[in-house]
Amino acid sequence: MSPTRITILGSTGSIGVSTLDVVSRQPDRFHVYALTAHRNVERLKAQCLEARPRVAVVAEKAAAHALQRELEAAGCPTEVRAGPQALAEVAEAPEVDAVMAAIVGAAGLLPTLAAAEAGKRVLLANKEALVMSGALLIDAVRRSGACLLPIDSEHNAIFQCLPTGYVCADEVAPHGVERIWLTASGGPFRDRPLDTFGDISPEEACAHPNWDMGRKISVDSATMMNKGLEVIEACWLFAVKPSAIQVVLHPQSIVHSMVAYNDGSVLAQMGNPDMRTPIAHALAWPDRVASGVAPLDLLGVGPLEFREPEAQRFPALGLAYRAMEQGGTATAVLNAANEVAVEAFLSGGLAFSDIAVVIERTLDALPTQAADSLERVLAADAEARAHAGSEIGRLQRRAVS
Ligand code: NAD
Ligand code: MG
């Protein structure tokens, strides 16, 4: 069997590092074609020296030239390129079989679309791409015959609980699926008194109790916007309405999601909370390979709890359901407003409890349009960023006066 040649978009991030870990365990099976990073050039350099990809991509030209010189001096044959066009090139290159889409946020949309349009095996971690433009991405997958496999642990779990032969983006209802249970840890604030939410610091929000992740998704987990984005992601991946998806708090993060069938069966996928499991699953699918994840000690994990998330504690979750029901560009608006609000919170310019306020006001202010072209989606994204920025400014002025 010839090896699978892989591009890892966002290789220096949490998912990227876990992907390289899995890939390095199966050197005969997986070859790295390209690695990409935004600003963490030092880590990218170390990754290039180890995996020796054909191409590496960074954001800035000057950084690309510097890295090229350093790699040459170290005898590494990698060619270094720069900029968004180079990201798309390594996603659609004919030498590539599979693309790990692990850039965080809206920045991942264009290269992920490029991989889908080129008919690759698309390993989708970048949920924001589906949230912004689910219709366009799914359409590209259908037209090109690309194979879309979910990396997000919940969606990967759901996929594993669906019948053999099920293809992402096809409806699950004809297979007897009645409901999808999306599990959520509830993040670091699931039990914190509500009247202290205004004082939450970025460090507290980024300290997730069960998962070790990038800063943006960690804050999303703390607000539960992450689960909201995942509801939207599940609607596109499994062709269901938001009402068929039920979010359940499961603080232990052992059951990664469940599928309920019309005969009363509920299938769950379980395992330790370690992203190398879904990554290994999607890389090798339909085979299985070792991932390095410790076996689940079922007798040691203790009781598994399931409870309903409180709407008042997690207003972002309701906003995501609302945006998906609205349809069109509303989910792109939700995503953009969230990214801007999370950045403002992380840099100390917005209270944690105002993240959802900014998103709600932005959703209220901007009219929903059909999300039928990339131009419209990107215009909605830009407009929402501008509006969210002005809402943050208003909240800051109020805090000062
Ligand atoms: P991270 O912040 O750790 O890494 C992000 C990666 O994207 C880095 O390699 C960074 O260099 C790159 N990047 C950032 N901005 C960029 C830009 N403007 N242009 C090009 N590259 C850019 O994030 P992460 O936690 O690895 O998450 C990556 C994606 O996977 C996100 O969409 C997240 O929602 C999703 N995801 C992550 C986890 C997890 O456990 N970390 C789980 C499920 C889904
Ligand atoms: Mg997830």
Side-chain angles (χ1 to χ4, degrees):
M1 194 175 67
S2 53
T4 306
R5 297 160 302 173
I6 304 165
T7 282
I8 306 177
L9 300 168
S11 66
T12 53
S14 164
I15 293 288
V17 167
S18 294
T19 305
L20 277 167
D21 182 89
V22 174
V23 163
S24 68
R25 289 166 195 274
Q26 324 284 337
D28 297 335
R29 189 168 183 131
F30 304 124
H31 283 185
V32 177
Y33 171 78
L35 298 176
T36 87
H38 194 45
R39 301 208 191 282
N40 194 345
V41 181
E42 270 314 299
R43 183 174 282 175
L44 183 65
K45 180 184 165 191
Q47 292 180 336
C48 287
L49 293 175
E50 174 100 23
R52 302 178 86 78
R54 170 85 189 72
V55 185
V57 182
V58 294
E60 314 284 350
K61 271 203 175 123
H65 288 143
L67 179 60
Q68 185 74 73
R69 279 194 299 276
E70 288 178 35
L71 290 176
E72 274 169 20
C76 179
T78 304
E79 175 197 332
V80 187
R81 301 181 194 162
Q85 185 53 38
L87 289 177
E89 280 165 20
V90 295
E92 65 196 12
E95 297 93 330
V96 172
D97 304 305
V99 175
M100 168 58 78
I103 289 175
V104 61
L109 174 60
L110 294 180
T112 304
L113 258 179
E117 275 161 6
K120 305 299 183 194
R121 173 182 288 222
V122 182
L123 313 176
L124 188 74
N126 177 225
K127 65 191 86 182
E128 295 91 344
L130 262 185
V131 171
M132 286 178 76
S133 64
L136 297 178
L137 192 57
I138 296 296
D139 208 44
V141 166
R142 289 226 170 90
R143 269 187 286 114
S144 69
C147 170
L148 183 61
L149 292 168
I151 293 297
D152 216 346
S153 57
E154 298 76 3
H155 307 74
N156 183 271
I158 294 161
F159 182 73
Q160 293 198 46
C161 295
L162 289 170
T164 307
Y166 173 78
V167 174
C168 276
D170 278 359
E171 275 184 68
V172 291
H175 298 281
V177 173
E178 287 205 326
R179 175 168 298 278
I180 288 174
W181 291 91
L182 206 57
T183 54
S185 69
F189 309 135
R190 59 189 174 226
D191 299 315
R192 180 176 173 131
L194 276 179
D195 58 3
T196 66
F197 267 43
D199 310 325
I200 288 170
S201 71
E203 283 59 44
E204 288 174 300
C206 288
H208 196 280
N210 308 359
W211 297 93
D212 181 13
M213 310 181 286
R215 282 167 76 78
K216 191 258 177 183
I217 185 175
S218 296
V219 177
D220 285 349
S221 299
T223 59
M224 269 185 88
M225 178 53 90
N226 182 49
K227 212 48 54 180
L229 300 178
E230 290 182 357
V231 168
I232 298 168
E233 186 185 8
C235 289
W236 288 112
L237 284 173
F238 309 116
V240 293
K241 295 207 169 357
S243 56
I245 300 172
Q246 191 151 351
V247 173
V248 60
L249 274 198
H250 168 48
Q252 293 77 22
S253 296
I254 295 296
V255 174
H256 298 306
S257 278
M258 294 169 270
V259 176
Y261 287 87
N262 54 10
D263 62 1
S265 300
V266 178
L267 301 196
Q269 187 263 1
M270 301 197 288
N272 284 319
D274 186 323
M275 289 306 294
R276 289 177 300 173
T277 294
I279 289 168
H281 171 266
L283 275 170
W285 181 85
D287 297 341
R288 298 268 179 182
V289 293
S291 64
V293 175
L296 178 63
D297 173 11
L298 204 48
L299 300 179
V301 290
L304 299 181
E305 301 164 71
F306 300 97
R307 56 187 208 236
E308 203 174 341
E310 302 155 63
Q312 206 194 344
R313 180 176 292 272
F314 300 115
L317 182 57
L319 293 173
Y321 270 98
R322 169 190 156 185
M324 190 62 197
E325 299 281 4
Q326 263 175 256
T329 50
T331 54
V333 168
L334 173 97
N335 179 65
N338 180 56
E339 283 190 27
V340 172
V342 169
E343 261 170 48
F345 165 68
L346 282 173
S347 58
L350 187 71
F352 180 83
S353 43
D354 281 339
I355 295 174
V357 173
V358 169
I359 300 166
E360 181 165 25
R361 289 183 186 172
T362 307
L363 270 177
D364 286 346
L366 301 189
T368 300
Q369 295 177 333
D372 51 6
S373 71
L374 192 55
E375 291 68 33
R376 282 212 184 166
V377 169
L378 295 178
D381 174 272
E383 212 182 337
R385 280 172 201 272
H387 191 90
S390 56
E391 289 295 349
I392 291 166
R394 266 192 281 280
L395 287 161
Q396 283 168 340
R397 285 192 292 281
R398 190 164 315 153
V400 172
S401 61

